[in-house]
């Protein structure tokens, strides 16, 4: 076992896991919006970026049988740093008049989207390697001890991605008066930060003994076991209802999430709130993430005291119903920024609290033989649940307008209630209690 303290590498490793995920799935939305892409196009193409996280169980055996987890981590970090830098080089530079007119077609962004997909596949592969490396380098006691640390620094990555990077881009937009150049510089800064983390990891990441010594199993044996994990998953009792729950529990969020940034940035004449790029970054990257973390912590404490079954109803309702704040803002068009902050904080707190039940249910359903692989399959359905509705969200919003779109989101809350009602009956009442 390496003598290096986990504090030397766990914070940076999980910051590096979180940051590219949010660059791909969150920053891309803001950037494409500011460069004049239509809501329909940006929702469709950025939702498809979830695909690598949906299908990553399909190539996870390769990460297990080829080279070491440490090698995969460093290789993927090099690829991600290079691809983020490449994004800055190929970013289209539409004129201010084209951006103001909106509705710029997808064709100028094709190369940008291709590089985003490369980044997404590298990030999903990095997730597989990093989580496996964590379990190899640490014994079970230290795995439990540092789970809060890894989750915290993953969330710090989200604060940096959703907040700091967007605020930098907004400040540069104001200073330069050139939106494409502002985002080009922002991406270069992001690439330099990620490159520094990669160089640090080359020297600091330990070399776990078990990571270098592969077990005496052939590729055929690995794939046979891989096939058994799929077969046993789909033979689990209640599997189809569980899949339906995993796909539909977050339906209100799945439709709304891709439209929240456009809603914040669009002017009041288009039904939006007219915030600047920097204001949008501050709303979601600071207050929103803090409220999300607080809700998640409270959700964990509640589940530990009362168990999943007892907490499922309040958590489901807290995840679904706070979406109403966006309907309120679409109707009221609040002028005071503190009202927008309060609404987003309320929504994100409810989401953090309600998402706890979703995570616990996936753990509950995955329990048993192959629980690690089965949990990975559950997370694939989780990614799919966000990808498919998000693909159509922009088209629906452009057809309905923001107010009617958020009315539709509220109707989707009934789906959350329905699947919660059905699944709750099957949950062991003691599951999740300390």
């Amino acid at each position: 076992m390496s003598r290096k303290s986990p504090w030397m590498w766990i914070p940076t490793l999980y910051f590096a896991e979180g940051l590219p995920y949010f660059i791909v799935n969150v920053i891309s939305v803001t950037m494409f919006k500011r460069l004049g892409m239509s809501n329909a196009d940006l929702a469709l193409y950025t939702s498809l970026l979830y695909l690598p996280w949906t299908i990553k169980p399909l190539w996870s055996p390769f990460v297990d049988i080829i080279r070491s987890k440490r090698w995969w981590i460093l290789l993927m970090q090099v690829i991600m740093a290079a691809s983020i830098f490449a994004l800055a080089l190929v970013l289209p530079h539409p004129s201010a008049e084209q951006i103001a007119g909106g509705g710029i077609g997808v064709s100028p962004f094709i190369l940008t989207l291709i590089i985003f997909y490369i980044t997404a596949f590298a990030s999903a592969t990095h997730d597989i390697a990093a989580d496996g490396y964590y379990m190899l380098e640490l014994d079970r006691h230290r795995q439990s001890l540092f789970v809060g640390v890894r989750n915290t620094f993953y969330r710090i990555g989200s604060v940096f991605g959703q907040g700091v990077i967007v605020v930098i881009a907004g400040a540069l937009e104001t200073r330069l008066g050139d939106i494409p150049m502002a985002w080009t510089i922002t991406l270069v800064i992001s690439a330099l930060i990620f490159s520094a983390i990669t160089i640090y990891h080359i020297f600091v990441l330990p070399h776990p003994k078990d990571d270098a010594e592969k077990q005496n199993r052939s590729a055929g044996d690995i794939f046979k076991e891989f096939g058994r994990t799929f077969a046993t998953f789909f033979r689990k009792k209640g599997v189809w209802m569980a899949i339906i729950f995993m796909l539909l529990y977050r339906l209100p969020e799945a439709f709304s999430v891709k439209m929240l940034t456009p809603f914040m940035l669009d002017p009041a004449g288009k039904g939006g709130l007219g915030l600047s790029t920097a204001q949008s970054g501050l709303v979601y990257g600071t207050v929103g993430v803090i409220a999300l973390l607080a809700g998640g912590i409270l959700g964990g404490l509640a589940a530990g005291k009362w168990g999943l079954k007892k907490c499922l109803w309040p958590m489901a309702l807290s995840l679904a119903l706070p979406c109403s704040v966006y309907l309120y803002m679409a109707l009221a068009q609040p002028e005071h920024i503190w009202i927008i902050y309060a609404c987003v904080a309320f929504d994100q707190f409810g989401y953090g609290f309600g998402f706890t039940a979703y995570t616990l249910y996936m753990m509950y359903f995955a329990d048993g033989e192959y629980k690690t692989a089965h949990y990975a399959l559950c997370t694939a359905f989780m990614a799919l649940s966000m990808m498919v509705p998000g693909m159509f969200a922009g088209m629906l919003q452009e057809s309905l307008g923001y107010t009617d779109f958020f009315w539709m989101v509220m109707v989707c809350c009934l789906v959350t209630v329905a699947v919660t009602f059905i699944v709750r009956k099957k949950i062991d009442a003691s599951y999740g209690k300390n």
Side-chain angles (χ1 to χ4, degrees):
M1 184 70 68
S2 170
R3 294 181 180 178
K4 289 180 180 176
S5 167
W7 284 104
M8 292 181 66
W9 57 270
I10 289 177
T12 52
L13 179 62
Y14 281 89
F15 179 87
E17 184 172 314
L19 182 58
Y21 177 88
F22 289 97
I23 288 176
V24 169
N25 291 300
V26 178
I27 291 177
S28 63
V29 177
T30 306
M31 186 178 74
F32 287 141
K33 180 66 179 176
R34 294 299 293 148
L35 292 175
M37 187 183 285
S38 70
N39 287 357
D41 285 339
L42 72 85
L44 173 62
Y45 291 103
T46 60
S47 292
L48 285 170
L49 292 171
Y50 281 114
L51 183 63
W53 286 275
T54 303
I55 62 175
K56 70 180 181 181
L58 297 179
W59 68 86
S60 58
F62 291 99
V63 180
D64 190 51
I65 64 177
I66 299 174
R67 302 294 293 261
S68 67
K69 303 291 191 302
R70 187 181 186 276
W71 181 85
W72 280 103
I73 287 170
L74 294 176
L75 176 62
M76 293 303 109
Q77 288 185 1
V78 168
I79 291 172
M80 287 187 285
S83 60
I84 294 169
F85 184 72
L87 283 170
L89 297 180
V90 304
L91 196 68
H93 282 63
S95 67
E97 292 75 18
Q98 289 175 307
I99 292 172
I104 294 175
V106 176
S107 55
F109 299 96
I110 292 297
L111 192 53
T112 307
L113 284 166
I114 290 171
I115 296 174
F116 264 122
Y117 283 113
I118 293 170
T119 311
F121 275 101
S123 180
T125 306
H126 181 271
D127 291 356
I128 297 167
D131 291 341
Y133 179 87
Y134 177 86
M135 290 186 283
L136 285 173
E137 172 62 10
L138 302 180
D139 57 36
R140 287 188 177 182
H141 170 68
R142 292 202 294 174
Q143 285 177 32
S144 299
L145 188 63
F146 281 92
V147 69
V149 176
R150 59 179 269 185
N151 291 343
T152 298
F153 277 88
Y154 182 88
R155 287 300 175 189
I156 290 173
S158 81
V159 173
F160 195 86
Q162 294 181 83
V164 176
I165 291 178
V166 176
V167 170
I168 289 171
L172 287 170
E173 286 181 9
T174 302
R175 184 179 182 85
L176 301 175
D178 185 334
I179 293 173
M181 182 55 67
W183 280 98
T184 297
I185 295 171
T186 301
L187 289 170
V188 170
I189 292 170
S190 302
L192 291 173
I193 291 169
F194 206 83
S195 297
I197 294 171
T198 303
I199 294 168
Y200 174 79
H201 284 159
I202 290 171
F203 296 101
V204 169
L205 284 184
H207 294 264
K209 181 181 178 182
D210 291 341
D211 196 25
E213 296 178 0
K214 296 296 179 183
Q215 296 179 354
N216 295 320
R217 294 191 296 170
S218 67
D221 291 336
I222 292 286
F223 281 103
K224 284 180 183 177
E225 184 175 342
F226 186 62
R228 283 196 294 272
T229 66
F230 271 89
T232 53
F233 181 85
F234 287 100
R235 285 201 297 263
K236 279 178 171 280
K237 186 177 179 181
V239 62
W240 296 111
M241 192 60 240
I243 290 172
I244 290 171
F245 177 81
M246 286 184 272
L247 291 176
L248 297 180
Y249 178 74
R250 296 200 295 166
L251 189 63
E253 182 215 358
F255 272 119
S256 64
V257 68
K258 288 294 181 183
M259 288 298 100
L260 297 183
T261 295
F263 176 58
M264 295 286 169
L265 296 174
D266 269 335
K270 292 184 177 181
L273 299 180
L275 300 187
S276 68
T277 304
Q279 286 174 322
S280 174
L282 285 170
V283 167
Y284 277 104
T286 54
V287 173
V289 173
I290 292 167
L292 180 71
L293 288 170
I297 292 168
L298 184 62
L301 293 173
K305 183 172 183 178
W306 292 297
L308 173 60
K309 186 168 186 173
K310 200 169 269 189
C311 289
L312 188 54
W313 267 126
M315 287 182 175
L317 294 175
S318 75
L319 182 135
L321 296 182
C323 293
S324 59
V325 299
Y326 299 105
L327 175 59
Y328 159 74
M329 288 192 286
L331 290 166
Q333 292 285 308
E335 295 180 2
H336 299 293
I337 191 71
W338 69 265
I339 296 176
I340 298 172
Y341 273 87
C343 287
V344 170
F346 178 69
D347 171 64
Q348 292 297 290
F349 179 86
Y351 174 72
F353 186 74
F355 188 73
T356 305
Y358 191 73
T359 304
L360 278 174
Y361 182 79
M362 290 193 296
M363 294 170 64
Y364 172 76
F365 187 74
D367 200 22
E369 189 181 15
Y370 302 116
K371 62 183 176 183
T372 301
H374 287 177
Y375 185 79
L377 287 169
C378 289
T379 62
F381 284 111
M382 176 178 70
L384 186 64
S385 76
M386 298 299 292
M387 184 180 82
V388 176
M391 290 168 60
F392 302 101
M395 290 180 279
L396 287 167
Q397 184 279 317
E398 288 188 344
S399 174
L400 298 171
Y402 282 113
T403 300
D404 288 345
F405 174 78
F406 288 123
W407 273 118
M408 184 207 73
V409 169
M410 293 308 300
V411 171
C412 290
C413 294
L414 298 175
V415 178
T416 301
V417 170
V419 295
T420 300
F421 177 79
I422 296 169
V423 162
R424 186 178 178 277
K425 299 176 183 178
K426 308 291 184 182
I427 297 173
D428 182 348
S430 65
Y431 184 80
K433 290 184 181 180
N434 290 331

